[in-house]
C-alpha cells in the first residue's frame, strides 16, 4: 500500500548547526547526564551550548566540544557539571566582548527569532507516493533502464533521484529504442488513450502510474460521452493531466474552460446536454467560481457528485488558508511546473500573506524578501519530498533562532494499491 505522507512530527531547530557530528556526540552524552538530580543546571548548560554553536569562530567551538566529549567520560559527575557550567559562562562572556569590539561579528543576541508554522498536511500525496514507488520497484525487479514517459511527478529533485537509479525519462514513446524489453511507465498525470494503444502496437511492457483519482476523472468523461453528453473540462491548457483527460475521447468532444471569462463566453451546441469534469489539482476557489457561472447559465449541466479536485489538493490549500493570515511570509516548496504547488502560492497571497513565494529548494530562497520577518509559514506541494522542507528549515535556522510549530488542519490516511505485478516486491520491502 502507498500512503500519503502529509502529516509529520516536529522538526528540531538544531539541524542547521555547523558541527553536526560533534553536536550529536555531545547531545548523546548530555542525555546520559540528564539522569542526574540537578536537571535544571544541565538544561541551562545545553541551551547555552546550542546558542554558542551559532557564533562565528567555529574552530574554537569544535575544539571545545571535542574536549567536553572526552570529559563526559570522567567519573566525578558533580565536578564535571561545575566545570562545564564555568566553561560555558567564560566562553559566553568572551564572545559577547568580542561582539562589542567587532560590530561585524554576530553574537547570540544578534540572531533574530523566527516562529515557523509548518502546514500539515503538506508534501507527498498517496498518488505521488504510489507513482514513485512504481518506478523504484520496477528498477528493483527488472533492473535499469526503466523508461518513464514524462516526469513521473513534477519535481526535479525526485526525477533526478530516480534518474540516478537508472530511470530514463522521455516525452514520447518514439524516443524509446525499438524492441526493448525494458518496462515503460506512464506518469502520475495520466495519458491519452492513444499512448497505451501505441505501446501495445510496439509490443512494449508498460506499467500505468496514473493517479487513481485522475483515472476516476477519465472514467467519468467516458461515461458522460457514452450517455451522449457534451463535456466541459475545467483545467489548464497544456498540462499533462488535461492532455490525458481530453485524449480519452475523440477531438472536439471535450471543451476546455480555463477562466470565469471562458465560462461566461461558452456557447455549447446543446445547452441542456452538458456534463462537467475538472482537473484534480486546481484552485478550489477558482474552480467553484467557474462551476457557479456554468450552473447559473446551464441549470441542467451534470456535475460530479463529489469534487474532482483531489483530497490532497483541497487539504493543502485549506492548510495554507489557515496559516497564511498568521505569518509575515509564506514559502511553498515545489516546482514551477507543478500545478498544485503554484495554486498554493496563489492561495497564500489571497489569504492575505504579504510575501507568498515558491522555492524548489533552499538555494532558491531570495533572502532580501525575508530580512525583517518574525513569522514564517511553510508548506509543500503534493510532489515535493519532506527532505526539501527540512532543507528550507535548516537554511532559516542558520540565520534565525527558529521555533517550529506544526499547524494541523486535516488528517490523511488515503492508500492506493500499486500494480499487481509489483505488489509482491512491495510487500517484501515492507511498504
Amino acid at each position: 500500500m502507498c500512503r500519503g505522507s502529509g502529516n509529520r512530527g516536529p522538526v528540531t531547530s538544531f539541524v542547521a548547526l555547523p558541527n553536526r557530528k560533534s553536536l550529536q556526540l555531545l547531545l548523546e552524552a548530555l542525555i546520559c547526564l540528564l539522569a542526574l538530580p540537578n536537571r535544571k543546571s544541565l538544561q541551562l548548560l545545553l541551551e547555552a551550548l546550542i546558542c554558542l554553536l551559532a557564533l562565528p569562530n567555529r574552530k574554537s567551538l569544535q575544539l571545545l566540544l571535542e574536549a567536553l566529549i572526552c570529559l563526559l567520560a570522567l567519573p566525578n559527575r558533580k565536578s564535571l557539571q561545575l566545570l562545564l557550567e564555568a566553561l560555558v559562562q567564560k566562553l559566553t562572556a568572551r564572545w559577547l566582548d568580542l561582539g562589542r569590539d567587532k560590530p561585524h561579528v554576530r553574537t547570540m543576541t544578534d540572531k533574530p527569532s523566527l516562529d515557523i508554522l509548518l502546514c500539515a498536511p503538506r508534501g507527498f500525496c498517496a498518488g505521488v507516493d504510489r507513482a514513485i514507488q512504481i518506478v523504484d520497484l520496477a528498477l528493483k525487479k527488472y533492473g535499469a533502464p526503466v523508461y518513464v514517459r514524462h516526469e513521473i511527478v513534477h519535481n526535479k529533485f525526485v526525477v533526478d533521484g530516480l534518474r540516478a537509479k537508472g530511470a530514463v525519462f522521455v516525452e514520447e514513446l518514439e524516443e524509446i529504442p525499438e524492441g526493448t524489453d525494458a518496462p515503460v511507465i506512464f506518469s502520475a498525470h495520466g495519458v491519452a488513450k492513444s499512448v497505451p494503444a501505441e505501446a501495445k502496437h510496439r509490443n512494449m511492457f508498460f506499467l500505468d502510474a496514473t493517479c487513481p483519482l485522475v483515472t476516476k476523472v477519465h472514467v467519468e468523461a467516458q461515461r458522460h460521452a457514452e450517455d451522449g453528453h457534451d463535456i466541459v473540462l475545467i483545467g489548464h491548457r497544456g498540462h499533462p493531466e488535461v492532455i490525458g483527460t481530453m485524449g480519452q475521447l475523440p477531438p472536439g468532444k471535450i471543451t476546455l474552460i480555463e477562466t470565469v471569462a471562458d465560462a461566461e463566453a461558452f456557447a455549447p451546441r446543446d445547452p441542456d446536454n452538458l456534463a462537467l469534469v475538472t482537473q484534480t489539482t486546481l484552485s478550489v476557489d477558482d474552480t467553484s467560481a467557474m462551476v457557479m457561472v456554468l450552473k447559473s447559465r446551464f441549470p441542467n449541466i451534470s456535475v460530479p457528485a463529489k469534487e474532482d479536485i483531489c483530497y490532497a489538493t483541497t487539504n493543502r490549500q485549506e492548510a495554507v488558508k489557515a496559516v497564511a493570515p498568521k505569518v509575515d511570509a509564506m514559502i511553498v516548496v515545489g516546482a514551477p511546473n507543478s500545478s498544485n504547488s503554484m495554486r498554493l502560492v496563489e492561495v497564500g497571497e489571497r489569504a492575505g500573506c504579504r510575501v507568498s513565494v515558491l522555492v524548489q529548494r533552499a538555494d532558491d530562497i531570495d533572502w532580501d524578501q525575508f530580512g525583517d520577518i518574525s513569522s514564517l509559514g511553510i508548506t509543500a506541494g503534493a510532489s515535493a519530498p519532506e527532505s526539501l522542507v527540512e532543507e528550507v528549515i535548516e537554511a532559516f535556522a542558520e540565520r534565525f533562532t527558529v521555533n517550529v510549530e506544526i499547524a494541523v488542519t486535516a488528517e490523511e490516511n488515503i492508500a492506493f494499491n500499486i500494480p499487481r505485478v509489483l505488489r509482491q516486491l512491495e510487500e517484501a520491502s515492507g511498504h
Side-chain angles (χ1 to χ4, degrees):
M1 285 291 209
C2 307
R3 297 192 175 273
S5 48
N7 298 325
R8 288 138 175 121
V11 177
T12 72
S13 58
F14 306 148
V15 291
L17 295 175
N19 191 321
R20 297 185 187 181
K21 183 61 179 176
S22 298
L23 176 61
Q24 179 184 344
L25 294 171
L26 176 63
L27 289 177
E28 289 170 356
L30 285 171
I31 287 166
C32 295
L33 283 171
L34 285 171
L36 293 174
N38 193 336
R39 296 187 182 182
K40 183 62 179 175
S41 298
L42 286 168
Q43 180 184 343
L44 294 173
L45 168 64
L46 180 57
E47 292 171 355
L49 285 171
I50 289 164
C51 291
L52 284 170
L53 283 169
L55 292 174
N57 194 328
R58 296 182 181 179
K59 182 63 179 175
S60 298
L61 288 168
Q62 179 182 346
L63 295 173
L64 172 64
L65 287 175
E66 290 170 355
L68 289 176
I69 289 162
C70 295
L71 286 169
L72 286 169
L74 292 176
N76 190 329
R77 296 186 179 181
K78 182 62 179 175
S79 299
L80 174 61
Q81 180 183 332
L82 294 173
L83 172 62
L84 291 176
E85 291 170 354
L87 281 170
V88 169
Q89 290 171 5
K90 186 171 182 178
L91 194 59
T92 301
R94 173 163 175 72
W95 280 111
L96 287 173
D97 287 341
L98 282 175
R100 283 190 287 270
D101 294 341
K102 301 177 181 179
H104 65 281
V105 174
R106 171 167 286 194
T107 70
M108 71 180 76
T109 57
D110 294 327
K111 202 171 182 181
S113 62
L114 178 66
D115 292 327
I116 294 179
L117 276 179
L118 199 55
C119 293
R122 67 184 176 278
F124 280 1
C125 62
V128 165
D129 194 39
R130 172 182 181 269
I132 294 169
Q133 282 198 47
I134 288 173
V135 180
D136 266 330
L137 292 171
L139 284 165
K140 288 177 183 176
K141 182 168 184 175
Y142 303 107
V146 166
Y147 293 95
V148 184
R149 186 186 180 278
H150 193 66
E151 293 184 348
I152 187 69
V153 296
H154 282 158
N155 188 277
K156 185 178 184 298
F157 181 85
V158 171
V159 169
D160 287 348
L162 293 172
R163 184 180 286 118
K165 295 178 181 180
V168 177
F169 292 88
V170 300
E171 285 304 309
E172 300 296 342
L173 297 184
E174 63 189 28
E175 300 173 47
I176 300 171
E178 288 285 351
T180 183
D181 60 355
V184 179
I185 299 174
F186 303 147
S187 80
H189 312 97
V191 294
K193 274 189 170 181
S194 59
V195 176
E198 181 187 350
K200 287 177 182 177
H201 178 71
R202 294 181 58 183
N203 294 317
M204 289 177 167
F205 166 50
F206 61 88
L207 298 165
D208 191 355
T210 301
C211 173
L213 298 179
V214 174
T215 300
K216 179 177 80 72
V217 176
H218 291 181
V219 171
E220 286 176 358
Q222 292 173 67
R223 178 175 56 79
H224 288 310
E226 290 167 1
D227 291 341
H229 295 301
D230 292 331
I231 297 164
V232 178
L233 168 63
I234 296 177
H236 296 298
R237 188 178 303 277
H239 189 278
E241 183 184 332
V242 168
I243 293 170
T245 299
M246 295 187 75
Q248 300 304 304
L249 298 172
K253 190 64 179 176
I254 298 179
T255 301
L256 181 64
I257 299 291
E258 295 187 84
T259 64
V260 168
D262 288 345
E264 291 170 341
F266 176 47
R269 180 178 58 85
D270 184 353
D272 293 322
N273 193 33
L274 298 174
L276 174 70
V277 294
T278 78
Q279 184 180 335
T280 63
T281 55
L282 300 175
S283 160
V284 174
D285 294 338
D286 286 349
T287 304
S288 296
M290 285 181 265
V291 171
M292 192 177 300
V293 170
L294 290 170
K295 289 176 73 173
S296 67
R297 294 189 62 212
F298 313 110
N300 294 327
I301 189 170
S302 176
V303 298
K306 189 178 179 182
E307 281 279 3
D308 285 336
I309 296 176
C310 84
Y311 79 95
T313 298
T314 302
N315 287 347
R316 280 147 190 73
Q317 290 181 19
E318 290 302 316
V320 169
K321 287 179 185 178
V323 167
K326 302 176 183 177
V327 294
D328 298 326
M330 191 85 208
I331 282 181
V332 177
V333 180
N337 61 339
S338 166
S339 175
N340 76 86
S341 297
M342 294 303 297
R343 302 296 79 76
L344 291 175
V345 175
E346 296 169 0
V347 169
E349 291 171 345
R350 292 174 184 175
C353 188
R354 61 187 175 91
V355 177
S356 182
V357 298
L358 180 83
V359 301
Q360 295 198 68
R361 56 188 315 168
D363 289 343
D364 298 331
I365 298 171
D366 178 0
W367 292 105
D368 291 340
Q369 294 181 294
F370 303 99
D372 60 348
I373 64 170
S374 60
S375 58
L376 173 69
I378 299 178
T379 189
S383 51
E386 183 68 4
S387 59
L388 298 184
V389 174
E390 293 171 355
E391 182 182 282
V392 168
I393 294 172
E394 289 182 15
F396 276 91
E398 289 177 359
R399 294 163 174 80
F400 296 85
T401 300
V402 300
N403 174 51
V404 180
E405 293 183 21
I406 310 259
V408 180
T409 53
E411 299 288 340
E412 291 182 352
N413 55 9
I414 302 294
F416 296 138
N417 285 328
I418 63 168
R420 180 174 279 104
V421 68
L422 298 176
R423 208 166 295 167
Q424 190 173 357
L425 254 182
E426 180 200 33
E427 291 167 357
S429 63
H431 289 292

